[in-house]
Amino acid sequence: MLEALALARQAAEAGEVPVGAVIVKDNQIVGRGYNQPISRRDPSAHAEVMALRDAAQHMDNYRLTNCDLYVTLEPCCMCVGAILHARIARVVYAAADPKTGACGSVVNLFAESRLNHHGAVSGGLLADESSLLLKTFFAQRRRSNEQN
């Protein structure tokens, strides 16, 4: 999660919402990503999707079985869909997302029995650090908008 937080800081420095993600297999990071929808002009360029793409390239397979994903913010519905399709075994997120979280905050797609893949999910790991990063980013953005 520390590496995911470092990636989230990279996103913030680039003017993106500070979310970072890593994918781990056998205690090795095989995929990294951070939010890039603004710079890539791509609404799907969330940290989780970027990490999934990186890991799939690294592992030469879109199925990332026996991998864990660590992300600094609870994944949204789009990201959970990609995570499930990739067959990620476990998701660990830092801060809950009460607006778009799809791991229990708004909906819990991991608990949907009709879906064909189910992974484990847990939240709260380094939540305070991630929340502070997000709050600081949005406070700075609000101040900047007020000055303009």
Side-chain angles (χ1 to χ4, degrees):
M1 189 63 80
L2 291 173
E3 178 65 20
L5 280 166
L7 289 164
R9 287 185 197 93
Q10 270 188 263
E13 290 169 11
E16 304 274 3
V17 174
V19 180
V22 296
I23 297 177
V24 176
K25 183 174 176 99
D26 299 327
N27 294 317
Q28 296 284 80
I29 294 175
V30 296
R32 291 175 169 80
Y34 60 88
N35 266 6
Q36 299 178 60
I38 297 167
S39 60
R40 289 184 176 256
R41 295 170 190 82
D42 177 358
S44 70
H46 287 194
E48 301 94 325
V49 172
M50 301 307 290
L52 289 168
R53 290 173 181 166
D54 189 41
Q57 289 296 312
H58 177 85
M59 305 209 26
D60 199 29
N61 194 337
Y62 79 96
R63 288 200 172 171
L64 303 174
T65 56
N66 300 314
C67 290
D68 299 330
L69 184 144
Y70 293 83
V71 60
T72 59
L73 183 65
E74 180 181 0
C76 69
C77 290
M78 176 187 69
C79 291
V80 171
I83 290 163
L84 293 174
H85 280 289
R87 309 296 196 266
I88 293 289
R90 181 174 67 132
V91 174
V92 179
Y93 64 88
D97 186 346
K99 294 183 179 179
T100 64
C103 300
S105 289
V106 177
V107 296
N108 188 350
L109 293 178
F110 286 96
E112 177 52 62
S113 62
R114 295 173 290 182
L115 295 175
N116 68 335
H117 176 73
H118 297 91
V121 63
S122 61
L125 179 62
L126 300 180
D128 291 342
E129 291 87 337
S130 179
S131 292
L132 180 61
L133 187 58
L134 287 158
K135 287 176 186 173
T136 301
F137 175 82
F138 285 113
Q140 289 172 342
R141 184 177 260 182
R142 280 190 299 277
R143 278 194 301 276
S144 177
N145 287 341
E146 290 169 1
Q147 292 173 355
N148 293 332

